[in-house]
Amino acid sequence: MDITINASFLPHDDAEASLAFYRDALGFEVRHDVGYEGKRWITVGPPGRPETSIVLQPPDADPGITEDERRVIVEMMAKGTYGGIVLTTDDLAGLFDKLQAGGAEVVQEPMEQPYGVRDCAFRDPAGNLIRINERA
């Protein structure tokens, strides 16, 4: 049996700012850009890897959440404590320089971690933590 992760979901609070980060800075391709009832879902992923995607969605995309829950999600996004994802690259220094030059918020510069990876971290425009490690 072969199981892979096809899509992960991260919230956005500004679709255009998220596109500037994921498409323009990271170089991901836009696979879907869907609007519905004033909300927008954007699916992005690395070029040439259609099996892996991130779906950027409004923080209140689930119709079952209450207004209080939505408010908590938005507050956690603002603090950078709600969502995150780990990416891998074969050029950590190059990608770090590219994201930093593009104005992305640096959380951690590239460094060796005691758990055996070299990584760095950014926040996307919605506050999601984006850790990037270097493929060994």
Side-chain angles (χ1 to χ4, degrees), residues 3-136:
I3 299 175
T4 62
I5 296 174
N6 176 257
S8 294
F9 290 77
L10 292 174
H12 75 75
D13 55 1
D14 181 332
E16 292 305 317
S18 291
L19 275 173
F21 180 81
Y22 287 95
R23 180 193 58 207
D24 303 337
L26 272 177
F28 282 3
E29 62 185 17
V30 177
R31 299 189 179 137
H32 303 285
D33 191 340
V34 178
Y36 179 72
E37 295 187 351
K39 298 176 184 173
R40 196 165 163 196
W41 287 257
I42 304 168
T43 304
V44 296
R49 303 229 170 157
E51 71 282 1
T52 303
S53 299
I54 299 172
V55 181
L56 305 167
Q57 65 180 13
D60 58 350
D62 182 339
I65 67 168
T66 66
E67 181 56 33
D68 284 343
E69 291 169 330
R70 189 201 67 76
R71 183 183 44 76
V72 169
I73 291 170
V74 170
E75 289 173 358
M76 291 178 72
M77 288 169 61
K79 290 172 39 180
T81 58
Y82 185 72
I85 196 163
V86 178
L87 305 175
T88 300
T89 181
D90 59 357
D91 182 10
L92 185 65
L95 184 54
F96 178 85
D97 290 345
K98 180 180 176 186
L99 291 172
Q100 187 177 37
E105 179 185 347
V106 176
V107 175
Q108 175 209 299
E109 295 195 8
M111 63 181 289
E112 298 293 332
Q113 296 292 349
Y115 42 88
V117 300
R118 179 170 175 75
D119 72 355
C120 65
F122 290 89
R123 291 213 189 282
D124 78 2
N128 300 302
L129 183 64
I130 311 299
R131 295 202 74 85
I132 304 170
N133 62 44
E134 188 163 54
R135 193 174 299 127

